[in-house]
Amino acid sequence: MKSLRQISMFRSFQNRNYRIFFAGQSVSQIGTWMQRTAISWLVYSQTHSTFMLGLTIFASLFPSFLLSVFGGVVSDRFNRHKVLFITQGASMIQSLVLTILVLTDHYSIWMVIVLTTFLGIINAFDVPARQPLVNDLVKDKEELPNAIALNSAMVNLARLLGPALSGITLEFWGAGICFLINTISFAAVLISLFLLKLPEYKPKTEKKKVVAELVEGFNYLKNHPTLSVILLLLISMSLFVMPYDTLIPVFAKITFHGNASTFGLISSFIGFGAICSTLFLASLKPGTDLKYILLINTFVLGFGLICFSHITYFPVAMIFAIMAGFGGMTQTTICITLIQVHSDAVMRGRIISFLAMAIFGMLPLGSLLVGAASQRIGPANTILVQGFIALLIGVIFSNNLRADKLKKKDKQVLETVEDQLIETL
């Protein structure tokens, strides 16, 4: 029987810190997805408005767009481990307040949106600290792509289980219990952070002004075309395509004539496709051209959405929901991997914050666009258009994502730097 070290798909688990972090996050992420699902269902069931659905998602993500660059500076300037203690504790408090309000029936939709906005602010500082921390949890940096892929697989396993559990809980006990479970689940991640054994943190001896560090990050991004292309692709997909899940509650209730359990089931099928994607990425050999796989899965996502949009027979529609989940998850996972691999350690927090800004800025705007468009042309036609846009984005970026072209650009940048050094000497 093969040992854990010999099984390539799970090779990152040989690192004690990574195992502990993975376990804590696994429990917490299930609670997080239960809360996300419950909020969407609560808002739609109370308002019956696709615009309010879009507005709720906008409120949860847009604050992170505004503040994530500052979160990146905090991540690079301070101890990321302690930053995570603060952000995860604050998230637990947010969930507890939401739980109390809903269980006591002293809430309004606007209260829910305000609390969701508060969580978006917390995430602006949580994501730029949490993602680079994975880099510190593995000893062999060749294992980093595997660790990130497993991390994404864990998130998507939670995306598979969380909505399904949320749908059942919503059906029998209501949204308040979903929020209560999420509150309790934060204990797991806080315990895991406490158990980590990390090298002693050494603060920077020289600290620049926040604006100077932001400018330094933007200049670094400008001089690294590999990172720029990846971020541009992610911005385009996050604005026009990825917000398709805003309309899933509408499909559950109107298209498939279902209830909260139906909504949870659709989300779980999408999550199943996503976890299959991340397990596939985790099984890839070191040195695999991830940019090519990213391009192929952009087309997979587009085709899945096109087919899903107008199919009213639930079992067949779920096949294409899995396909959409498979193609969509690749976008974020590969982009995070490439940015972690290609960015310097001292810049990693800020570059991750730009990625977070791309996601958190474009997804909420896209959710508003999707919500508004669906009221004019209908949910099915909206997702159909999003599928075609994904195909168009794939065509536009096909040349830029070729490995040989990116290497040529990187070589040109390197030659420019060498010329500048020669002139300096």
Side-chain angles (χ1 to χ4, degrees):
M1 185 175 179
K2 291 183 177 180
S3 68
L4 193 63
R5 185 182 293 271
Q6 292 173 311
I7 303 174
S8 60
M9 184 180 292
F10 303 104
R11 56 187 178 273
S12 297
F13 285 144
Q14 63 186 292
N15 298 277
R16 174 191 175 276
N17 281 336
Y18 184 77
R19 290 197 303 271
I20 293 173
F21 181 78
F22 186 94
Q25 287 286 317
S26 297
V27 176
S28 180
Q29 284 293 324
I30 291 175
T32 297
W33 276 102
M34 288 187 70
Q35 176 166 301
R36 288 182 184 179
T37 306
I39 285 177
S40 293
W41 186 258
L42 182 67
V43 170
Y44 186 67
S45 62
Q46 294 290 322
T47 65
H48 299 93
S49 169
T50 55
F51 176 77
M52 288 302 293
L53 268 178
L55 181 62
T56 303
I57 295 175
F58 177 87
S60 69
L61 298 176
F62 196 70
S64 296
F65 166 70
L66 296 176
L67 299 173
S68 59
V69 289
F70 298 102
V73 172
V74 170
S75 173
D76 286 335
R77 181 179 286 193
F78 299 104
N79 187 335
R80 290 168 184 156
H81 189 207
K82 290 184 178 179
V83 171
L84 279 179
F85 263 114
I86 296 171
T87 57
Q88 292 295 306
S91 298
M92 186 178 188
I93 293 171
Q94 183 269 353
S95 182
L96 178 61
V97 172
L98 187 59
T99 300
I100 294 171
L101 288 174
V102 174
L103 285 179
T104 58
D105 201 23
H106 284 83
Y107 75 95
S108 67
I109 294 301
W110 290 108
M111 287 181 184
V112 174
I113 292 176
V114 168
L115 284 169
T116 303
T117 303
F118 178 62
L119 184 60
I121 295 172
I122 296 169
N123 285 335
F125 296 89
D126 181 83
V127 174
R130 179 157 41 90
Q131 292 295 345
L133 186 66
V134 175
N135 193 285
D136 301 328
L137 301 178
V138 293
K139 296 177 182 178
D140 186 353
K141 299 312 172 188
E142 288 187 358
E143 297 171 358
L144 183 60
N146 175 260
I148 294 173
L150 287 176
N151 215 47
S152 297
M154 170 262 293
V155 172
N156 285 290
L157 179 60
R159 186 179 180 178
L160 174 67
L161 298 175
L165 293 173
S166 184
I168 296 171
T169 306
L170 284 167
E171 193 70 23
F172 291 98
W173 299 288
I177 300 300
C178 292
F179 302 145
L180 177 61
I181 293 172
N182 183 46
T183 303
I184 296 171
S185 73
F186 278 106
V189 71
L190 290 173
I191 292 171
S192 71
L193 289 172
F194 178 77
L195 293 175
L196 293 181
K197 294 181 180 179
L198 298 172
E200 184 181 354
Y201 173 71
K202 296 180 180 179
K204 286 185 178 180
T205 54
E206 179 186 356
K207 290 185 179 180
K208 303 176 183 178
K209 292 182 178 179
V210 173
V211 175
E213 292 197 25
L214 288 177
V215 171
E216 187 180 24
F218 279 112
N219 287 335
Y220 182 86
L221 185 61
K222 184 175 65 176
N223 292 324
H224 289 75
T226 298
L227 303 177
S228 301
V229 169
I230 295 303
L231 281 176
L232 283 174
L233 173 66
L234 192 61
I235 287 170
S236 303
M237 294 296 293
S238 297
L239 178 61
F240 296 111
V241 182
M242 298 308 294
Y244 74 88
D245 58 1
T246 303
L247 299 176
I248 297 303
V250 185
F251 273 78
K253 198 163 191 175
I254 305 301
T255 304
F256 301 117
H257 309 289
N259 50 27
S261 297
T262 310
F263 172 41
L265 195 56
I266 298 172
S267 298
S268 293
F269 274 106
I270 295 172
F272 177 73
I275 195 172
C276 289
S277 172
T278 49
L279 289 175
F280 164 71
L281 293 174
S283 68
L284 294 176
K285 296 179 180 179
T288 302
D289 184 7
L290 294 177
K291 294 182 288 294
Y292 179 73
I293 294 175
L294 174 63
L295 180 64
I296 293 299
N297 278 279
T298 302
F299 291 112
V300 170
L301 171 60
F303 182 74
L305 291 179
I306 289 170
C307 295
F308 174 82
S309 63
H310 280 78
I311 292 178
T312 57
Y313 184 54
F314 189 81
V316 176
M318 291 308 98
I319 295 174
F320 296 108
I322 293 172
M323 184 180 295
F326 187 97
M329 190 60 235
T330 310
Q331 311 296 316
T332 305
T333 305
I334 291 184
C335 288
I336 291 174
T337 303
L338 291 172
I339 285 174
Q340 292 261 41
V341 169
H342 289 284
S343 59
D344 295 333
V346 294
M347 301 296 298
R348 197 165 288 130
R350 273 164 284 182
I351 302 304
I352 288 291
S353 74
F354 294 145
L355 179 143
M357 187 171 64
I359 296 174
F360 293 140
M362 297 302 106
L363 277 178
L365 292 176
S367 295
L368 287 178
L369 287 174
V370 166
S374 66
Q375 291 195 337
R376 288 182 173 271
I377 64 175
N381 287 332
T382 300
I383 288 187
L384 177 68
V385 171
Q386 288 179 283
F388 279 114
I389 291 175
L391 299 182
L392 179 61
I393 290 173
V395 171
I396 292 173
F397 279 87
S398 58
N399 287 332
N400 291 324
L401 286 176
R402 285 187 315 182
D404 57 340
K405 187 164 185 177
L406 286 173
K407 288 177 182 177
K408 183 178 178 181
K409 288 181 178 180
D410 286 336
K411 185 177 179 181
Q412 291 172 348
V413 171
L414 182 60
E415 289 173 351
T416 302
V417 172
E418 288 175 346
D419 292 339
Q420 291 174 350
L421 286 173
I422 291 171
E423 290 176 2
T424 303
L425 295 171

